[in-house]
Amino acid sequence: MAHGVNNHQSALPVAQAAVLALPPSSQAKDLRPRWTVLDSLLCGAFAGAVAKTVIAPLDRTKIIFQVSSKRFSAKEAFRLIYCTYMKEGLLGLWRGNSATMVRVIPYAALQFCSHDQYKKLLGSYYGYQGKALPPFPRFLAGSLAGTTAAMLTYPLDMARARMAVTAREMYSNIMHVFVRISQEEGVRTLYRGFTPTIMGVIPYAGITFFTYETLKKLHTEKTKRPQPYPHERLAFGACAGLIGQSASYPLDVVRRRMQTAGVTGSSYSTILGTMREIVTQEGVVRGLYKGLSMNWIKGPIAVGMSLTTFDITHSLLLKLHQMGYSAH
């Protein structure tokens, strides 16, 4: 009997040693917080909503100039903002923002969520699971994420553009936009400008995510800190937005002209035809790059806030999971 007890006691340290000898990943397997698709969707939706609401007045002003033949200048832009405020009140500066939210929330949610999924897939394919991706897969993950989100939410972008450039009497709400366009111009009109949108999203989203991820990677290598501070994230996101939007801006002008052709009296129907008409009437710089200087103000702010908000809410949700709570 005593001999059996002694054997049992002597076996305990051996068992404990065996447990301690397990790899850390095996010990913590069930304790690690799980990052789910729903978490990505929630963080992306919140990030997009915050960023777009902040820059909504500048965004609306940019669209108005993009779809008109008026010459753009900072003075004229701020005069337009002032006139809108005097005529429609403070909330007039956010006209079309409800349509923007209806579009941006699913767009940002899908973009950030699909970006996480594409990074995992490409990391597994290229043998970089759980590590920073090489340059080309990093660009590809961003491009695929932007394309996925744009394809699934494009009609909402069309509705938002129409509401931004028309008076309240023409379209009372986003559903009215869909009904009226379908009845008067046909359902296919909801996808007018789709091709230049996708052509623009591929370099824009690819360059934006690539730049942001690259700057974070370089920062970690230089400072030895696993995560940058919020103000550093904002700076990285601003740089990413500046480069990405500048590279794809002419296609953004083309898609806006095609989206709003039905209410501006223009006959833009093809990408090349639209570009040719813009260049002929307004020139290359003043036409295809109209409003770019305003984009250099609002773009970095929006992208920086969006990427930073996503990362911060991502970290907060992980902490909640660690504390034993569930965000869903």
Side-chain angles (χ1 to χ4, degrees), residues 183-258:
Q183 290 177 344
E184 298 178 2
E185 304 173 54
V187 177
R188 288 184 62 185
T189 303
L190 292 172
Y191 286 88
R192 180 182 290 163
F194 178 75
T195 303
T197 297
I198 297 301
M199 289 174 64
V201 159
I202 291 171
Y204 167 66
I207 291 171
T208 299
F209 278 109
F210 169 81
T211 304
Y212 185 64
E213 296 286 332
T214 300
L215 290 174
K216 286 202 300 182
K217 180 175 179 290
L218 293 173
H219 171 272
T220 300
E221 290 173 354
K222 186 174 181 180
T223 65
K224 307 303 179 185
R225 281 190 280 119
Q227 296 295 335
Y229 297 127
H231 68 275
E232 293 171 330
R233 294 183 192 274
L234 279 171
F236 298 161
C239 290
L242 186 67
I243 297 170
Q245 292 191 346
S246 298
S248 61
Y249 194 79
L251 287 166
D252 190 44
V253 173
V254 170
R255 77 175 172 124
R256 291 301 183 203
R257 294 291 179 98
M258 293 177 72

Side-chain angles (χ1 to χ4, degrees), residues 14-65:
V14 176
Q16 290 173 348
V19 172
L20 292 173
L22 288 172
S25 58
S26 300
Q27 293 179 43
K29 187 174 182 180
D30 296 325
L31 300 176
R32 287 180 300 182
R34 287 165 52 188
W35 182 247
T36 67
V37 170
L38 182 56
D39 291 329
S40 289
L41 289 170
L42 289 172
C43 291
F46 182 68
V50 169
K52 277 294 185 180
T53 300
V54 169
I55 55 93
L58 294 176
D59 207 25
R60 180 174 187 259
T61 303
K62 183 205 73 172
I63 292 173
I64 291 173
F65 275 99

